[in-house]
Amino acid sequence: ADLATYGLEIPKVSVTYYVYDEAGNVTKGLTLHVGNAAPVGNGHYAMLDGDDTVYVIGYSDADYLVMTDYDYRVLTLLTVNDYVNEIQAVGFTRGDEQLYVARASTEEKEALEYATTYRIYEPALVNCNTYYLENKVLQYLSSISALSAVEDYPKDLADYGLSEADAPLEVSIETTDGTVTRFTLSNTPNEDGSIYGKISGQTSIYTFDPAVFAFASVTYDQILDMTIWSCEFNSLDRVEFTLDGEEHTLYIEANDDGTYQTRLDALDILDKDARMLYARMLQIYIDDITREGDTAGEVVYSFRLCGKDGSVRTLELAAISDRRFVVILDGVEQEYCVRYNTVKQIIDGVADLYEGLHLTYSV
């Protein structure tokens, strides 16, 4: 008497079957209407179009029929089979904050004696710790899946926290074939803990588990390679360096038996001590990127690596303050700085050698 009792006045779904006749023409077959779940048993109410009998059909059939088009969608939105070799660049933007990492170009690798596989280009140009990047970021890009599709053609992205005014998180992934995939993610979780997001080139809004994008919280200082330069001790003829106005030279002369004759200025020192002093020079590590207002002043410390082949590499430290110094590498001012404690270990090492003490490994 009342189809609404069964949810069949306005069915959840109506399924029409089409069949081929003997001539190969498509003809319309039966239409099945599916309504509410039955309160007893495992099934849904259903009836055939034009019939007056209400049936209960099993869940195994009804569940597939009442699924929406969203339920049929492929929710894996990005797949990278070989993230170590296929990912060209990764970028994260939230408001004014930006982090962009990409493979160093062939030209950069050829121009720089020491260049890592990846380099950070924003917020500053600096080498990237490739091991950390691959294991803490890139491996999580091998597959990105949504939890569900929510809406197509949204009228207002602000309803999902995805408008420009919401300063959503932007994640871009570029593969070596030139394909760029961009995700836009809301900053505010939903009641169930999921977050809204969309993908470039699609009009759909999806929900994501925040854990899928946990790697996007990485900061530049977590993935930068703190090492500024590197050069084999065995390839050097000498190292010229200036500390607070005092000039020094570390001489390295190879003996026929494979050992080395080493001097600090006019002071003969052990090969082991020379290596330790040089190791401290390589341990002038990056502390931070330079900030707005940081101005390079007078060069206070300088180092020249003079190779046996006549090559020269230079590192100069120009004072921002009495504790922070802008790095000038091979004559080019960099976008990062170091602190005094990395230089003090060299100053202390020189003082120890002049006092006749031997050096130990310093970090």
Side-chain angles (χ1 to χ4, degrees), residues 316-343:
E316 299 170 288
L317 304 181
I320 299 174
S321 66
D322 59 348
R323 294 285 170 177
R324 295 177 67 236
F325 304 89
V326 173
V327 172
I328 303 173
L329 184 62
D330 296 324
V332 179
E333 184 175 321
Q334 304 298 310
E335 299 178 68
Y336 49 82
C337 58
V338 301
R339 291 194 177 274
Y340 172 72
N341 61 341
T342 64
V343 184

Side-chain angles (χ1 to χ4, degrees), residues 9 11 28-29 55 59 125 152 168 177 188 190 212 214-215 223 225 237 251 293 333 344 363:
E9 184 177 34
K28 184 177 180 180
Y55 302 91
Y59 276 126
L125 180 59
D152 291 324
D177 63 2
T188 305
N190 304 316
V212 173
F215 64 86
I223 59 173
D225 189 319
D237 176 69
Y251 296 96
E333 184 175 321
K344 185 177 185 302
V363 177

Side-chain angles (χ1 to χ4, degrees), residues 220-362:
Y220 77 89
D221 53 329
Q222 291 175 315
I223 59 173
L224 66 78
D225 189 319
M226 295 187 298
T227 304
I228 296 174
W229 60 348
S230 178
C231 185
E232 289 291 338
F233 180 84
N234 301 346
S235 68
L236 296 175
D237 176 69
R238 67 191 184 281
V239 180
E240 301 170 353
F241 57 103
T242 302
L243 305 173
D244 293 321
E246 294 186 4
E247 296 182 357
H248 300 278
T249 303
L250 177 65
Y251 296 96
I252 305 166
E253 183 179 348
N255 298 320
D256 293 337
D257 61 359
T259 61
Y260 287 84
Q261 186 70 33
T262 53
R263 285 184 296 123
L264 175 61
D265 303 329
L267 180 67
D268 289 330
I269 60 175
L270 296 177
D271 175 8
K272 178 183 69 174
D273 288 328
R275 290 176 183 272
M276 289 297 177
L277 182 62
Y278 178 60
R280 296 187 185 191
M281 296 178 188
L282 297 184
Q283 291 167 10
I284 301 176
Y285 291 145
I286 297 171
D287 175 73
D288 198 357
I289 63 173
T290 52
R291 303 296 182 179
E292 185 177 353
D294 286 342
T295 303
E298 178 185 357
V299 173
V300 182
Y301 307 104
S302 63
F303 304 84
R304 285 169 52 88
L305 306 183
C306 304
K308 289 182 172 62
D309 60 359
S311 62
V312 176
R313 298 208 64 198
T314 63
L315 173 64
E316 299 170 288
L317 304 181
I320 299 174
S321 66
D322 59 348
R323 294 285 170 177
R324 295 177 67 236
F325 304 89
V326 173
V327 172
I328 303 173
L329 184 62
D330 296 324
V332 179
E333 184 175 321
Q334 304 298 310
E335 299 178 68
Y336 49 82
C337 58
V338 301
R339 291 194 177 274
Y340 172 72
N341 61 341
T342 64
V343 184
K344 185 177 185 302
Q345 64 178 351
I346 303 170
I347 297 173
D348 291 345
V350 171
D352 288 344
L353 290 174
Y354 268 97
E355 292 180 13
L357 302 175
H358 295 295
L359 301 187
T360 56
Y361 183 75
S362 175

Side-chain angles (χ1 to χ4, degrees), residues 161-178:
L162 297 174
S163 69
E164 189 174 332
D166 297 312
L169 171 64
E170 304 280 351
V171 179
S172 65
I173 301 106
E174 180 180 351
T175 51
T176 50
D177 63 2

Side-chain angles (χ1 to χ4, degrees), residues 207-222:
T207 58
F208 293 92
D209 183 339
V212 173
F213 289 95
F215 64 86
S217 63
V218 68
T219 57
Y220 77 89
D221 53 329
Q222 291 175 315

Side-chain angles (χ1 to χ4, degrees), residues 10 51 55-56 64 67 103 146 148 174 182-184 215 222 224 234 280 289 358:
I10 303 177
D51 196 0
Y55 302 91
V56 175
Y64 287 106
M67 288 172 66
R103 288 181 184 273
S148 64
E174 180 180 351
R182 293 184 176 88
F183 292 91
T184 305
F215 64 86
Q222 291 175 315
L224 66 78
N234 301 346
R280 296 187 185 191
I289 63 173
H358 295 295

